Amino acid sequence: MIDPRVASGLRDIPPSVMIPRERMLASFRRTFASFGYLPIETPHIERMEVLTGKGAGSDEVLRQIFDVTNKGGTQGELALRFDLTVPLARFVARHVNELGVPFKRYAIGSVFRGERPAKGRFREFVQCDFDTVGTESAVADAETAQVIHDALTAAGVPEFTITLNNRKVLDGLLDTLGVADKTGPVLRALDKLAKIGGEKVLAELQRGEPSIEGESAGRGSLLSEEPARHILDFVERGRGKAEVLARAEEQLGRHPRAAEGIANLRSILGLLHAAGVPQDRLKIDLGLARGLDYYTGVVFETTVNGWERFGSVSSGGRYDNLASLFTERKLPGVGASIGLDRLLALMEEAGWITGTSATAPVLVANFPGVDPAVPVRLAARLRAAGIGAEVFPDPLQIGKQMGYGSARGHKVAVIVGPDEQGREVFNLRDLATRKEDKAIPWADLEGAVGRALGVTEGARS
Amino acid sequence: MIDPRVASGLRDIPPSVMIPRERMLASFRRTFASFGYLPIETPHIERMEVLTGKGAGSDEVLRQIFDVTNKGGTQGELALRFDLTVPLARFVARHVNELGVPFKRYAIGSVFRGERPAKGRFREFVQCDFDTVGTESAVADAETAQVIHDALTAAGVPEFTITLNNRKVLDGLLDTLGVADKTGPVLRALDKLAKIGGEKVLAELQRGEPSIEGESAGRGSLLSEEPARHILDFVERGRGKAEVLARAEEQLGRHPRAAEGIANLRSILGLLHAAGVPQDRLKIDLGLARGLDYYTGVVFETTVNGWERFGSVSSGGRYDNLASLFTERKLPGVGASIGLDRLLALMEEAGWITGTSATAPVLVANFPGVDPAVPVRLAARLRAAGIGAEVFPDPLQIGKQMGYGSARGHKVAVIVGPDEQGREVFNLRDLATRKEDKAIPWADLEGAVGRALGVTEGARS
């Protein structure tokens, strides 16, 4: 016997998780499509040089790559994708001439990272990405946040906060302080603010970031105390609404790059207001520095109110030049990714996932002694009327069939015993209350079942 | 610059193919769910021993396996799945105690085979599988064919033929001829009948199958001429409707295994009749021997009328013992797989794929000199009314924006220039006819656009 387990860090997804997952994916697809994003798909397997090209992935991600080889192939030529953004860049570079710009695409698919397995962290997980390529317009920036808003709302997330920043504001601040050459370590330190607090960030801003081994790398050499305090203060006062932008403008309005960033955030807030996104869903955080190696303009992060410990469920931002590894053509863009599995885990824990584990609401019994053509015919009629119906395959004792239906989450059962068969009637049992309506004529099948399910006839098409 | 191509045998799927593909997948999911099949997902990566266990895959498939390794991993431990059936067997063995039987599942996902790349053959392709595990009932056998019928019909395939056989009939025939020990090579020869014709099959039935190198392996040693002719004759007269079963019963009715197979096919035809599947969609072919190493009862194959050269678009059958590699528990089952990519390629060539390449029917122009908040607000209102609307991100010359809309397949454009903005009206342009309705009040936006698209307000929810 072979052990039927999956490899470490991988998982089976049972129907109870898949049913809300598919519902959520269908909802995301509808939202993306309603904004004109077009679906594309790229292979799970990419050529290794596409994935490992300079800047394609962080060192950490590259260490986690899965090699793929088949008989006759050469080790190191192929690998599994670790995100959907590098494949987008390759896709756009390859097809931009036929597709034209702006090109808006969404993609939903598994990505693979050989991370150390841990609770809630998997080596294969699904990303839901949407991007607009070939424009620098703030309309596309704002739309990205709007799609996050509409997608989460449609998926049933009650309250969440989309946090925005523009990388150019911090760039401007560091430039006015004369420390633009230290952007990398400064932003990495700021990124830890929520996690380790102001005191420790202040220390790290002066000392430099600890190396991977946990020792101080820069040995007191990053910033002197004054600019470090100034930066920390700017960032700590940089969280809020539009008033944050007014204050930043006073401080940095004459720095062209910072002014550009502030104006961009203002435009975005204005357009989101026009789009009807409630202002209490939006927050400015001038210290938000995620995607440091990657994003060049606006950045987004989204947390669910009261469930911030799950981290961001949708993040993204603007990049100046998406496909520079693959083409001379400059292709700016903006987009975000929704973390399906993280969001589902959060919603599950919050109790926001409701609904049955069955896909068809009706179980049609297969009564011992009755021609199975009878349940097969009745079920086909229900399906033709848009009502999902499952026929129990074996003529087991009827109690067992009802037990199966209750356990699976069917709502009602249609039962025809030998007596009912002769009279061309059926009994309709509510599987929750166990109440049974007796002797309903076959002619009234669709009507009676539809009423019991509370659907208008043909409404479930 | 890195070449943005994909590896040999892999492909990018552009929006023009993805849009009908997603529509078809959504339609399959609805059909599977309407019969009570539940969705599951298993990882793309499986442990190697799960995939290479005895009988899991044919030698050919095992030669095509893609190994997967990450840093720190050992070569030969992990691989990409080559079908969805072995993962189903593993899944069921692992979870059968929680899930109970019957267990009906569907799964849609990519599988990987390192085949020699050729036109229309890819190393990654999508399978759509549905199976009922834990029952020997003919109701489940018939339902499998019914799902094929309903899924293809719902997907818009006009005419097709589901061919059925039961492996037990041929088993009985070979047993009465005293050549049951030669089942393997005999069935492999019969499988070629449509391709190479009766004469060549007759020769192969006597000579034995050619080895892979193309030479005769058995050297005249398989069957003598009389049983070879008898088998070929039986199979050639074994194609048709119910009358084929009557003739087979005369010949083999006293052989218990053959009689079982004939009775099973009769039940299936009867149940499919009850289910409303038109009889002209069904055909018996007593020579159909597909899935030889695998299926033990009914087998199915489906061709599209007039497009038989594409081969079977949906195949499957019954297996006695799905998960014998992984559990002592005997789990019989029946199911089939729909070949999404083959079916789409066929429908594309047949011209049955219609519809636009856009996902949102409305383009809202971004007129130079008009506050972009105006198109953003109007588009949000359309979406809230269930009408997909895309805002052009940049205030380019209006002709360019209309060209983009026509090329993308948008149906209408909503245009607000500076003059219209002042008067709070918009122009509605039909992008096919280029006719424009002028100066419609903003208040009538949803109504006017809905009427132009021929949808009732709120119908596209």
Side-chain angles (χ1 to χ4, degrees), chain B residues 402 411-413 415 427-438 452:
Chain B
M402 297 301 107
K411 293 202 175 77
V412 298
I415 306 168
N427 299 338
L428 182 59
R429 181 191 296 221
D430 184 309
L431 285 164
T433 64
R434 300 192 181 189
K435 275 191 199 153
E436 209 168 294
D437 282 340
K438 304 259 184 197

Side-chain angles (χ1 to χ4, degrees), chain A residues 430-448:
Chain A
D430 185 309
L431 285 164
T433 64
R434 298 190 182 191
K435 275 191 201 151
E436 207 167 295
D437 283 338
K438 305 260 185 196
I440 306 168
W442 288 359
D444 195 24
L445 176 73
E446 296 85 349

Side-chain angles (χ1 to χ4, degrees), chain A residues 401-415:
Chain A
Q401 299 189 35
M402 295 303 105
Y404 169 90
S406 303
R408 278 284 192 278
H410 292 283
K411 294 205 174 76
V412 298
V414 167
I415 306 169

Side-chain angles (χ1 to χ4, degrees), chain A residues 135-152:
Chain A
T135 173
E136 297 187 324
S137 163
V139 170
D141 292 342
E143 184 175 271
T144 305
Q146 193 186 348
V147 171
I148 295 173
H149 172 268
D150 286 10
L152 293 185

